[in-house]
Amino acid sequence: MSNGKHDVIGDIIRFLENEKEMYGPFSIEPEAKLRPSESTLNPEAPKQKTDKGLAEQRGDEQKKNLASGSEDQARTIQQKLANCSTLDELHSLCSASELLKTDLEGTNLVFGVGNPNADLMIIGEAPGFNEDKEGEPFVGAAGQLLNKILRAIDFSRKDVYIANILKHRPPDNRNPLAEERERSLPFLLRQIDLISPKIILCVGKVSATTLLDKDEALKRMRGKFYPFRGAELTVTYHPAALLRNKKWKRPTWEDVQAVRKRYDELGGKP
Ligand code: URA
Ligand code: URA
């Protein structure tokens, strides 16, 4: 049905890629174009300040990418994402996307699992060994605990939708890099919009700081509901953290009870 549309976009992408091969990377972002020539023309120009906030640094990073020619890529991926009107279409796009990969080779896509119409969405960090093997988020030890936590507030895994910030496993189970989170985020945001949950529960610091775009301690971010893309987003500890340290169990229990209460208040599906 949307094949015709995709073909046109495919043609445009191939055209732009051919152009780039002939003429080199180009950008129509005026700021990104201006910056380098400014400093070339005026070597005395003051150096950029370096004491910037994360959000601002993120903006700079994006501009750098734009300037280095990946703006086409960013724009075409935004177009492709906007064209995904179902989770299946988004799944196919994710399967084909190099942007989601980490530098660990041969990993499987871990797209997300659960009810596509869920009113509660759980977002973790990144797939680990078991998740990569199964192609499903939260199936290892942390996943078993997550299932128990969900059961304690009367949800089953099938009621909710579970995804991660990254859709591929990072090497050595290291934390996702800022750059990896940046590349994956547009795909996750589209996934969130397609599911359109009433509540998003971020488990762990990586998930919360990435979606809220602020670098605060988990302790400071939990206990609130933040407006987020038409939903309410809240934060609690990562189940893997609970397995390591019991002191977080109590606050997690409080957080998930608040999730259940808010879910019912907002008229979430029974
Ligand atoms: N930890 C996560 O954050 N996500 C998973 O899918 C598994 C473990
Ligand atoms: N610190 C974290 O980074 N995450 C948790 O879930 C708990 C403590």
Side-chain angles (χ1 to χ4, degrees):
M1 173 183 113
S2 55
N3 272 351
K5 218 180 193 177
H6 282 154
D7 283 350
V8 173
I9 291 167
D11 287 341
I12 295 172
I13 293 165
R14 277 186 291 279
F15 171 75
L16 287 172
E17 274 165 2
N18 287 340
E19 288 276 286
K20 202 154 82 182
E21 236 171 72
M22 282 191 284
Y23 301 118
F26 55 88
S27 160
I28 58 160
E29 172 79 15
E31 252 187 292
K33 242 185 185 163
L34 265 177
R35 279 235 183 111
S37 57
E38 255 173 17
S39 51
T40 324
L41 288 174
N42 180 9
E44 303 302 320
K47 289 249 164 29
Q48 275 183 27
K49 282 200 292 183
T50 50
D51 56 344
K52 287 186 168 173
L54 250 189
E56 222 181 322
Q57 283 174 25
R58 180 183 281 206
D60 284 354
E61 194 56 39
Q62 272 163 0
K63 281 187 192 127
K64 209 164 69 200
N65 291 337
L66 300 184
S68 66
S70 55
E71 192 208 2
D72 295 339
Q73 210 183 15
R75 250 182 321 132
T76 48
I77 202 67
Q78 285 299 347
Q79 272 172 354
K80 288 188 188 182
L81 285 168
N83 280 331
C84 290
S85 52
T86 65
L87 281 181
D88 281 348
E89 286 173 6
L90 181 63
H91 194 151
S92 304
L93 183 62
C94 289
S95 302
S97 185
E98 292 296 317
L99 286 170
L100 293 172
K101 298 205 169 140
T102 66
D103 45 16
L104 183 61
E105 283 184 25
T107 53
N108 289 310
L109 176 74
V110 180
F111 178 69
V113 71
N115 177 356
N117 300 308
D119 285 327
L120 174 60
M121 195 165 169
I122 317 278
I123 302 181
E125 178 175 319
F129 175 81
N130 292 296
E131 289 75 24
D132 176 45
K133 229 172 48 179
E134 308 275 324
E136 184 173 325
F138 282 104
V139 292
Q144 299 308 311
L145 181 53
L146 178 63
N147 291 348
K148 272 196 209 167
I149 292 170
L150 288 172
R151 274 203 300 276
I153 50 167
D154 256 332
F155 288 107
S156 83
R157 237 176 121 87
K158 290 188 224 65
D159 298 326
V160 304
Y161 194 94
I162 308 175
N164 284 307
I165 298 291
L166 294 199
K167 297 198 184 299
H168 281 268
R169 182 188 178 204
D172 309 318
N173 295 331
R174 64 153 165 70
N175 276 350
L177 305 173
E179 171 263 322
E180 289 166 339
R181 290 183 279 134
E182 203 86 52
R183 281 189 275 119
S184 297
L185 190 57
F187 294 84
L188 177 61
L189 293 179
R190 188 68 191 138
Q191 198 167 17
I192 292 172
D193 290 347
L194 288 171
I195 293 162
S196 184
K198 294 188 190 302
I199 298 192
I200 296 167
L201 174 62
C202 291
V203 295
K205 192 175 178 193
V206 167
S207 169
T209 55
T210 305
L211 290 182
L212 290 174
D213 192 18
K214 57 165 137 196
D215 197 11
E216 279 185 22
L218 198 117
K219 201 161 80 178
R220 292 178 54 93
M221 291 186 288
R222 59 177 283 270
K224 300 183 191 98
F225 287 86
Y226 306 82
F228 189 86
R229 301 178 88 84
E232 294 188 14
L233 182 152
T234 190
V235 173
T236 195
Y237 294 95
H238 194 290
L242 304 186
L243 290 171
R244 288 194 305 269
N245 195 327
K246 285 192 171 44
K247 78 175 181 194
W248 288 317
K249 281 196 172 165
R250 173 91 208 178
T252 302
W253 176 230
E254 289 166 6
D255 293 339
V256 297
Q257 281 179 299
V259 164
R260 180 74 228 193
K261 183 161 173 278
R262 193 70 190 130
Y263 181 93
D264 293 337
E265 282 169 5
L266 293 173
K269 287 177 210 61

